[in-house]
Amino acid sequence: MIETTSPPAVAVRDVVRHFGRFAALRGITAEFAPGKLYVLLGENGAGKSTLLRVMAGLLAPTRGTVEVLGSSTIRSVAPRFGYMGHAPLLYDELSALENLSYFAALYGIDDAERCREAIRTVGLDPALARRVGQYSQGMRQRISLARAIVHSPELLFLDEPFSNVDQRSARQMTALLAGMRDSGTTIFAVTHQAALMESVADECIVLDAGRMIAREKGIPARLLTPYPAEAREDVESRR
């Protein structure tokens, strides 16, 4: 029997991204297999969020190429992935259900129960009529995740998904992501809270000064704390 290899969910080749004279990404080349959960680690300014945004088509690389779900035209496959960034991308004057109904409609989905279920999966009550603008930061973060997954994406990009979220809710979100991965969704998550992802991460990608300096299975113990200088030196010593 001939074994076939699935094409990568995302492929980046010699990707460089400048902001003026500052090089945020410096020649990153990598392929990422589908159906895995990748955690991007590194200090502030390492290039994690920039790489995530380039892969999601929100930033164009200064040089290099990006292919997402087999296409170099990322906009054409955008309906097949979800993105959760620092901004929640929610309408403050609407309830959670109204927000999700609106965003679901952008994907051609007219199913109120599906929206309710997305809200339940992040641990909130879809019957809550309060406007999102009156939610706590942690609740807004969870609704932002529900917005990103309401259309059952094949690929999910998350930038600091656990920001302002309590530990119990963060563990619930982690379990949700693990379940999505197990169902075939490819997930990229930028986080400074690596310990939350230790039990579910398939691989970690370590960036430093715009370069990918390590790629390892799971999350090694030395990287579970907030990414310190000595951990970076240890990673570099292994290159």
Side-chain angles (χ1 to χ4, degrees), residues 46-85:
K48 308 180 299 298
S49 294
T50 301
L51 178 59
L52 197 77
R53 295 183 69 194
V54 166
M55 291 192 296
L58 299 175
L59 286 175
T62 304
R63 188 179 73 234
T65 61
V66 180
E67 289 188 4
V68 176
L69 299 176
S71 176
S72 58
T73 307
I74 300 178
R75 181 173 295 182
S76 69
V77 295
R80 296 165 59 190
F81 64 76
Y83 178 84
M84 176 184 174

Side-chain angles (χ1 to χ4, degrees), residues 9 39 53 62 67 74-75 92 122 133 137 169 172 183 206:
V39 178
R53 295 183 69 194
T62 304
E67 289 188 4
I74 300 178
R75 181 173 295 182
D92 286 349
V122 298
Q137 289 296 319
S169 297
Q172 185 177 23
S183 296
V206 184

Side-chain angles (χ1 to χ4, degrees), residues 22-38:
F22 174 71
L25 298 176
R26 303 167 184 254
I28 293 182
T29 296
E31 291 189 353
F32 301 98
K36 292 188 176 184
L37 198 162
Y38 301 94

Side-chain angles (χ1 to χ4, degrees), residues 198-221:
E198 178 187 12
S199 64
V200 300
D202 292 299
E203 293 186 28
C204 71
I205 314 300
V206 184
L207 280 78
D208 181 60
R211 294 185 174 90
M212 190 170 73
I213 61 172
R215 179 173 179 176
E216 304 196 34
K217 290 184 178 180
I219 302 178

Side-chain angles (χ1 to χ4, degrees), residues 41 194-195 204 206 214 216 219-228 231-232 235:
L41 301 175
C204 71
V206 184
E216 304 196 34
I219 302 178
R222 70 184 186 279
L223 298 178
L224 291 177
T225 57
Y227 194 64
R232 184 179 71 248
V235 168

Side-chain angles (χ1 to χ4, degrees), residues 14 21 26 64 69 81 103 120 144 191 209 215:
D14 194 29
R21 299 179 63 180
R26 303 167 184 254
L69 299 176
F81 64 76
F103 285 105
R120 294 188 193 100
S144 182
T191 184
R215 179 173 179 176

Side-chain angles (χ1 to χ4, degrees), residues 27-232:
I28 293 182
T29 296
E31 291 189 353
F32 301 98
K36 292 188 176 184
L37 198 162
Y38 301 94
V39 178
L40 278 63
L41 301 175
E43 291 185 326
N44 289 334
K48 308 180 299 298
S49 294
T50 301
L51 178 59
L52 197 77
R53 295 183 69 194
V54 166
M55 291 192 296
L58 299 175
L59 286 175
T62 304
R63 188 179 73 234
T65 61
V66 180
E67 289 188 4
V68 176
L69 299 176
S71 176
S72 58
T73 307
I74 300 178
R75 181 173 295 182
S76 69
V77 295
R80 296 165 59 190
F81 64 76
Y83 178 84
M84 176 184 174
H86 290 170
L89 301 180
L90 300 170
Y91 289 98
D92 286 349
E93 66 274 17
L94 301 180
S95 69
L97 183 58
E98 289 169 338
N99 264 282
L100 260 65
S101 296
Y102 171 77
F103 285 105
L106 297 180
Y107 293 100
I109 299 169
D110 183 14
D111 186 343
E113 183 53 35
R114 184 167 176 175
C115 297
R116 293 188 186 95
E117 183 58 27
I119 296 172
R120 294 188 193 100
T121 61
V122 298
L124 294 175
D125 183 356
L128 187 61
R130 192 171 18 151
R131 293 183 301 168
V132 165
Q134 298 174 327
Y135 281 14
S136 68
Q137 289 296 319
M139 292 173 68
R140 288 166 62 87
Q141 195 77 348
R142 285 186 278 166
I143 290 298
S144 182
L145 176 58
R147 172 193 54 74
I149 66 173
V150 69
H151 59 300
S152 303
E154 299 173 47
L155 177 60
L156 185 59
F157 298 105
L158 306 172
D159 199 347
E160 297 292 354
F162 309 118
S163 178
N164 298 308
V165 175
D166 64 85
Q167 288 294 308
R168 181 173 178 272
S169 297
R171 287 193 294 270
Q172 185 177 23
M173 291 167 68
T174 299
L176 169 62
L177 297 177
M180 292 181 65
R181 182 272 316 276
D182 292 345
S183 296
T185 304
T186 307
I187 301 172
F188 292 87
V190 170
T191 184
H192 284 97
Q193 297 166 276
L196 286 170
M197 305 294 279
E198 178 187 12
S199 64
V200 300
D202 292 299
E203 293 186 28
C204 71
I205 314 300
V206 184
L207 280 78
D208 181 60
R211 294 185 174 90
M212 190 170 73
I213 61 172
R215 179 173 179 176
E216 304 196 34
K217 290 184 178 180
I219 302 178
R222 70 184 186 279
L223 298 178
L224 291 177
T225 57
Y227 194 64
E230 57 266 26
R232 184 179 71 248

